[in-house]
Amino acid sequence: MKHDTVELLKAHGINPSSQRVRIYDYLVASKDHPSVDDIFLALQKEGHLFSRATVYNTVKLFLEKHLIRPVKVASNEMRFDASHSFHGHFRCEACDKIFDIPIEELSLDGATEHQIQETNVSFSGICAECLKKGKDD
Amino acid sequence: MKHDTVELLKAHGINPSSQRVRIYDYLVASKDHPSVDDIFLALQKEGHLFSRATVYNTVKLFLEKHLIRPVKVASNEMRFDASHSFHGHFRCEACDKIFDIPIEELSLDGATEHQIQETNVSFSGICAECLKKGKDD
DNA sequence: ATCATTGCAAACACTTTGCATACGC
DNA sequence: GCGTATGCAAAGTGTTTGCAATGAT
């Protein structure tokens, strides 16, 4: 059980139970913005058998505490971003993988009337790998 | 039944049935990116009683034919954009309304390896109106 | 012993699908 | 009449919730 994570969760007002720590660590370690089911299956395979409900409740808690952010790129499932750096996301329509895309902060022209709390930039198309393989076209 | 719409649907290879024309017109006329249920309820109220399934099937068809684009800002429901101009979306967490936000095209630094087909920029927070009302804070 | 977290299963919300009916050419 | 679009209801998928059991201090 990673101490850094324990401290981080505490700092955000989250009781660092072992499941929560594992879920957070998994989110940070995986670069591909796993879905709830991905998290559940991966941690279940590791032998930490807990329920999907726990994963849902945990990510919901993390979201509320602003420890992670939702990735709005796939329409159906929730996906998450544990990184706090500003970047965009690219989702491949063929293999359904999600990549981080470096982008510059964007400057708004006429949105200042609203109080913006979150910004989300996403792209979709065919990733380099699938283009080579010609999986789609 | 609007002729422009009929022609537009035909041009996209879509058989312009009366429901499809109405749904498309409703999408274009409404500036707030209605959900499937919004569309269904509005057109039902107008007396065009059809089923949710028809709305779902129709918007799915429109999406496939690239007549409309999905708006990725609300996690739960599908929302649509019939406009083809480049702009972002702002979703108010308090009143759940979606506003169009003018933004400049963004320049990518390192994403050129992938074939980008769609770009989506969205913001969330509290809209000007809700800020005034103090619905949230 | 108390309080929070977990797991299960049921409920829920949104979307898709199968099939019979109705419509348009 | 034939092919397609529609409507209904049922099934499917992803998410949330209620409650009992477990775990931590």
Side-chain angles (χ1 to χ4, degrees), chain B residues 17 19-20 49-50 54:
Chain B
S17 73
Q19 278 89 335
R20 287 172 179 175
L49 311 155
F50 35 60
T54 299

Side-chain angles (χ1 to χ4, degrees), chain A residues 15 17 19-20 49-51 54:
Chain A
N15 192 342
S17 73
Q19 278 90 335
R20 287 171 179 175
L49 311 155
F50 35 61
S51 72
T54 299

Side-chain angles (χ1 to χ4, degrees), chain B residues 60-96:
Chain B
K60 198 176 161 194
L61 181 65
F62 288 174
L63 287 171
E64 280 164 8
K65 302 290 186 179
H66 300 103
L67 199 64
I68 62 176
R69 286 176 305 161
V71 172
K72 284 159 185 153
V73 63
S75 44
N76 36 349
E77 311 175 295
M78 290 174 130
R79 300 207 167 232
F80 312 97
D81 195 339
S83 151
H84 279 223
S85 71
F86 187 75
H87 59 265
H89 295 107
F90 173 87
R91 174 167 156 272
C92 177
E93 304 281 355
C95 66
D96 207 48

Side-chain angles (χ1 to χ4, degrees), chain B residues 8-106:
Chain B
L8 184 65
L9 295 193
K10 278 187 193 167
H12 283 258
I14 297 168
N15 191 342
S17 73
S18 76
Q19 278 89 335
R20 287 172 179 175
V21 171
R22 280 186 202 287
I23 291 172
Y24 183 78
D25 285 343
Y26 184 80
L27 277 170
V28 172
S30 62
K31 308 129 201 117
D32 54 349
H33 307 295
S35 66
V36 166
D37 221 56
D38 293 334
I39 300 169
F40 171 69
L41 292 173
L43 295 189
Q44 186 182 239
K45 196 174 288 180
E46 284 182 14
H48 317 292
L49 311 155
F50 35 60
S51 72
R52 278 178 181 79
T54 299
V55 183
Y56 277 109
N57 292 332
T58 302
V59 295
K60 198 176 161 194
L61 181 65
F62 288 174
L63 287 171
E64 280 164 8
K65 302 290 186 179
H66 300 103
L67 199 64
I68 62 176
R69 286 176 305 161
V71 172
K72 284 159 185 153
V73 63
S75 44
N76 36 349
E77 311 175 295
M78 290 174 130
R79 300 207 167 232
F80 312 97
D81 195 339
S83 151
H84 279 223
S85 71
F86 187 75
H87 59 265
H89 295 107
F90 173 87
R91 174 167 156 272
C92 177
E93 304 281 355
C95 66
D96 207 48
K97 284 199 191 109
I98 296 174
F99 303 86
D100 285 358
I101 302 286
I103 50 171
E104 48 192 62
E105 288 277 351
L106 28 89

Side-chain angles (χ1 to χ4, degrees), chain B residues 97 128-136:
Chain B
K97 284 199 191 109
E129 205 175 322
C130 287
L131 277 175
K132 265 182 238 155
K133 287 187 194 163
K135 269 189 192 172
D136 194 292

Side-chain angles (χ1 to χ4, degrees), chain A:
Chain A
M1 194 139 130
K2 279 170 73 177
H3 284 288
D4 305 0
T5 307
V6 169
E7 293 309 317
L8 184 66
L9 295 193
K10 279 187 192 165
H12 284 257
I14 297 168
N15 192 342
S17 73
S18 75
Q19 278 90 335
R20 287 171 179 175
V21 171
R22 281 185 202 286
I23 290 172
Y24 183 77
D25 285 342
Y26 185 79
L27 277 170
V28 172
S30 62
K31 308 129 200 118
D32 53 350
H33 308 294
S35 66
V36 167
D37 221 56
D38 292 335
I39 301 169
F40 170 69
L41 292 173
L43 296 189
Q44 187 184 239
K45 196 173 289 180
E46 283 183 14
H48 316 291
L49 311 155
F50 35 61
S51 72
R52 276 179 182 78
T54 299
V55 182
Y56 276 108
N57 292 333
T58 301
V59 294
K60 197 175 162 194
L61 180 66
F62 288 173
L63 287 170
E64 280 164 7
K65 301 291 186 179
H66 301 102
L67 198 64
I68 61 177
R69 287 176 304 161
V71 172
K72 283 160 186 152
V73 63
S75 44
N76 36 349
E77 311 176 294
M78 290 175 130
R79 301 207 166 230
F80 312 97
D81 196 337
S83 152
H84 279 223
S85 70
F86 186 75
H87 60 264
H89 295 107
F90 173 87
R91 174 166 155 274
C92 177
E93 305 281 355
C95 66
D96 208 49
K97 285 200 189 107
I98 296 175
F99 303 86
D100 286 358
I101 301 287
I103 51 172
E104 48 192 62
E105 288 277 352
L106 27 89
S107 58
L108 306 187
D109 299 336
T112 38
E113 41 169 348
H114 309 308
Q115 186 188 83
I116 290 176
Q117 291 164 352
E118 264 185 41
T119 300
N120 203 285
V121 179
S122 64
F123 309 92
S124 60
I126 309 295
C127 74
E129 205 174 323
C130 287
L131 278 176
K132 265 182 241 156
K133 287 185 195 164
K135 270 189 191 172
D136 194 292
D137 241 30

